[in-house]
Amino acid sequence: VLPFPSQVIYNRVGKCGSRTVVLLLRILSEKHGFNLVTSDIHNKTRLTENEQMELIKNISTAEQPYLFTRHVHFLNFSRFGGDQPVYINIIRDPVNRFLSNYFFRRFGDWRGEQNHMIRTPSMRQEERYLDVNVCILENYPECSNPKLFYIIPYFCGQHPRCREPGEWALERAKLNVNENFLLVGILEELEDVLLLLERFLPHYFKDVLSIYKNPEHRKLGNLTVTVKKTIPSPEAIQILYQRMRYEYEFYYYVKEQFHLLKRKFGLKSHVTNPHPRREFFIPSPLETEEPIDDEEEDDEKWLEDIYKR
């Protein structure tokens, strides 16, 4: 009897801890005997209709139980007559995600001093060493919309309007989170994300937290930390925040849902909002209050309903 759900997709968002999670999944797939299906395609998140059909067909015929992972915007299996799998994902503070990506493209991580040259071989030297403040304040394409509208399309989907910063894409992304994602976690609270994944998907994630906390795994994880990151000026940070206002509305919405979920399952995190460095302060008018208790619905019944979607 297949563990259920037997089809899980982690359409991982770039620079949101996905390499750490994939390292864990490789260990877990051997430990628990599920089929980990990864993709070598890292830079094609938007697909034509034919490409969507082909990818959905390939995923659907994988040996079950499987967990498929790739950097790809949300795919609607039911649109093409397939069974909709369970989705999971992790996001992080949008400015921090942008900065991690900005410096990773230029300087890579601790896995090798030259791996950034392999990753971006055509990048000119003047571009590689472009000061991030200059990029933001002088409105270079890399540091302006729509390049900064990055997280929402992973949840909105493949529709062309999903790539246009605005309310339509934001609301569609929220709807998909509610209807198609079992869990969207927050990287800043990764241990709690792993605890909930272990609770919701034990056939895939049993013992994940103990593996994550293992010193040997921590050594591997440290190699994926982006190097040479610097913090932009307060003025540049505020400009980024304004340019990413839809991203932040989505981030705070997901964070609120995540905290409600933690409270529902009795998780009282030791992670608190750290006091930001003065120069890195980002206003957060959408910050959520403490989630309220909701004891009307039985926990296990709630999980069963999610799995049956």
Side-chain angles (χ1 to χ4, degrees), residues 239-256:
I239 288 173
L240 278 182
Y241 179 78
Q242 291 304 319
R243 290 176 183 170
M244 302 170 99
R245 60 190 181 278
Y246 294 112
E247 294 273 277
Y248 269 100
E249 185 170 341
F250 182 72
Y251 172 73
Y252 288 125
Y253 176 80
V254 167
K255 190 173 184 179
E256 179 180 36

Side-chain angles (χ1 to χ4, degrees), residues 36 48-49 51 69 74 85 94 141 163 167 170 173 189 193 199 208 211 221 253 265 267 269 284 304:
L36 177 62
T48 66
E49 188 166 317
E51 288 170 337
T69 179
F74 174 77
R163 305 192 287 276
E167 291 289 337
L170 170 65
E189 301 172 35
V193 177
R199 172 73 183 268
V208 65
I211 295 169
Y253 176 80
F265 286 90
L267 262 186
S269 176
S284 53
E304 286 176 15

Side-chain angles (χ1 to χ4, degrees), residues 235-289:
E235 180 186 4
I237 288 287
Q238 296 303 322
I239 288 173
L240 278 182
Y241 179 78
Q242 291 304 319
R243 290 176 183 170
M244 302 170 99
R245 60 190 181 278
Y246 294 112
E247 294 273 277
Y248 269 100
E249 185 170 341
F250 182 72
Y251 172 73
Y252 288 125
Y253 176 80
V254 167
K255 190 173 184 179
E256 179 180 36
Q257 300 305 307
F258 182 63
H259 285 171
L260 284 167
L261 205 53
K262 287 204 306 183
R263 177 64 65 88
K264 187 178 190 68
F265 286 90
L267 262 186
K268 295 186 178 176
S269 176
H270 298 295
V271 177
T272 56
N273 290 327
H275 295 291
R277 293 169 60 172
R278 267 188 102 68
E279 70 270 26
F280 200 62
F281 176 68
I282 298 172
S284 53
L286 299 172
E287 188 68 85
T288 58
E289 299 176 358

